[in-house]
Amino acid sequence: MPAVPPSLPTLRFIQPAPSPYFSYPVTPLRPELRYHQERLAKWLCISIGAIVLVLSIWVVWLHPDFLKILGPFGITLVGAAYWLNVRAARVRGNAILVSEEHWPELHDLVQECQARLGLRGLKAYVVQDLVLEQAGMRLGGDDCLLLRASIVDVALSKGDIEALRFHIGRKCGQIAFGHYRYSSHTLAVTGRLIYPLFAWYRRCQERTADRAGLWVSGHRQLAHHGLAVLAAGVHIGGHLTPNAARAQIRASKHSLWVRLVGWHTERVFYPQRIVALDDAAKELHIPE
């Protein structure tokens, strides 16, 4: 009789172990987190910028000689846009994805922070050299977060990952409030024709992002610590306080040049951001 072949072993499908990093419940975005002057600044940039742009085209049409000047200027703008895209691609190409394999604690924190602002599925990257100074980024059609390698490295080395909560929360806030959508990012660029107006709009966006970081932090002191880390670094940032920032502002408020630069810059000065964050915490009833 022929030998009976041994029976084949029963195949069992092994279910993968569940990830220890569960999905946080996504909470609705609170509209009061948006800085109250941001919408006004945005639509002023779009409307007044559009008017100035149409008037400029009309003047060029009446005086064709202006085309001799605008021709090289347009070529320069195209070249600048190309170079910015190249720099953005370079940053994205060198970035390291934050995942459960790379920095699992940081990955968990990113998931929690974005869920508190009504977001889901955002990817975060750690970059060694943040070429584009943005709170969040939109590259290749995808919203993503770029985290400074220097801050992440020191925070993880010290075991102070909570110091990154404000840093991540404000980046998520930029995306949650649409700072990289077409109307806020592309149309509002016409406001650059009246640069002090556009700079005001950018400062309003920054205040909104700080308020989002405050909300994600959940505690006033933790948010102040996170902002102080951005201002002075992980090691010495903890020594900055709102009272000291208020005293510094009072001492420098009579400086004409400080005021002029403050009106023409897209970034709010750090002492002013610290004070504004303290005021926002009282407004939003964020506990100590």
Side-chain angles (χ1 to χ4, degrees):
M1 294 179 63
V4 179
S7 59
L8 295 176
T10 302
L11 297 179
R12 292 182 301 172
F13 294 93
I14 301 176
Q15 296 294 334
S19 172
Y21 303 99
F22 58 90
S23 297
Y24 289 91
V26 178
T27 58
L29 181 65
R30 296 185 58 174
E32 62 268 27
L33 295 180
R34 187 190 297 270
Y35 184 58
H36 65 279
Q37 295 181 353
E38 183 187 328
R39 290 188 183 275
L40 174 62
K42 170 185 173 179
W43 292 112
L44 285 177
C45 279
I46 294 175
S47 57
I48 297 179
I51 293 173
V52 173
L53 181 61
V54 170
L55 290 176
S56 301
I57 295 175
W58 180 66
V59 170
V60 171
W61 182 71
L62 291 179
H63 303 279
D65 292 339
F66 278 107
L67 291 176
K68 298 178 181 178
I69 302 175
L70 295 179
F73 180 71
I75 295 175
T76 303
L77 288 180
V78 172
Y82 170 78
W83 179 239
L84 285 176
N85 283 307
V86 170
R87 292 167 65 187
R90 185 181 302 164
V91 172
R92 184 69 175 269
N94 284 308
I96 304 298
L97 176 66
V98 176
S99 64
E100 295 181 9
E101 291 76 23
H102 293 144
W103 311 291
E105 300 89 353
L106 183 59
H107 175 264
D108 190 34
L109 182 60
V110 169
Q111 302 305 311
E112 180 186 354
C113 290
Q114 61 179 293
R116 285 182 60 84
L117 293 173
L119 300 172
R120 186 193 298 274
L122 280 182
K123 294 181 179 180
Y125 296 86
V126 174
V127 291
Q128 185 65 34
D129 182 16
L130 190 56
V131 178
L132 298 181
E133 186 64 29
Q134 301 286 355
M137 291 190 64
R138 186 173 180 84
L139 297 175
D142 297 325
D143 289 323
C144 61
L145 309 175
L146 296 184
L147 309 179
R148 294 175 181 270
S150 57
I151 296 178
V152 172
D153 181 48
V154 178
L156 293 181
S157 299
K158 293 183 62 179
D160 187 16
I161 193 172
E162 288 298 314
L164 301 173
R165 186 178 293 272
F166 176 83
H167 183 49
I168 297 172
R170 70 181 311 278
K171 290 174 179 289
C172 293
Q174 287 269 6
I175 295 175
F177 285 102
H179 292 175
Y180 296 93
R181 294 174 187 164
Y182 182 77
S183 61
S184 301
H185 186 66
T186 304
L187 289 182
V189 169
T190 56
R192 284 187 179 273
L193 298 173
I194 314 98
Y195 188 73
L197 175 62
F198 181 76
W200 172 46
Y201 172 53
R202 293 286 291 165
R203 293 196 300 272
C204 290
Q205 286 186 324
E206 189 166 52
R207 289 185 183 274
T208 296
D210 284 348
R211 291 165 68 91
L214 170 66
W215 176 251
V216 168
S217 297
H219 296 279
R220 195 178 309 180
Q221 292 182 352
L222 183 59
H224 277 301
H225 178 53
L227 181 56
V229 165
L230 295 179
V234 177
H235 291 291
I236 62 177
H239 297 282
L240 302 180
T241 63
N243 291 333
R246 291 182 190 276
Q248 180 177 342
I249 292 175
R250 287 194 298 267
S252 61
K253 68 178 182 179
H254 300 294
S255 174
L256 175 62
W257 282 104
V258 171
R259 290 186 177 184
L260 289 177
V261 174
W263 292 337
H264 290 79
T265 181
E266 300 179 21
R267 307 297 301 272
V268 183
F269 294 140
Y270 274 113
Q272 295 177 354
R273 289 175 63 183
I274 293 174
V275 171
L277 193 69
D278 191 50
D279 295 337
K282 299 174 184 176
E283 174 192 342
L284 298 172
H285 306 290
I286 303 297
E288 291 283 350

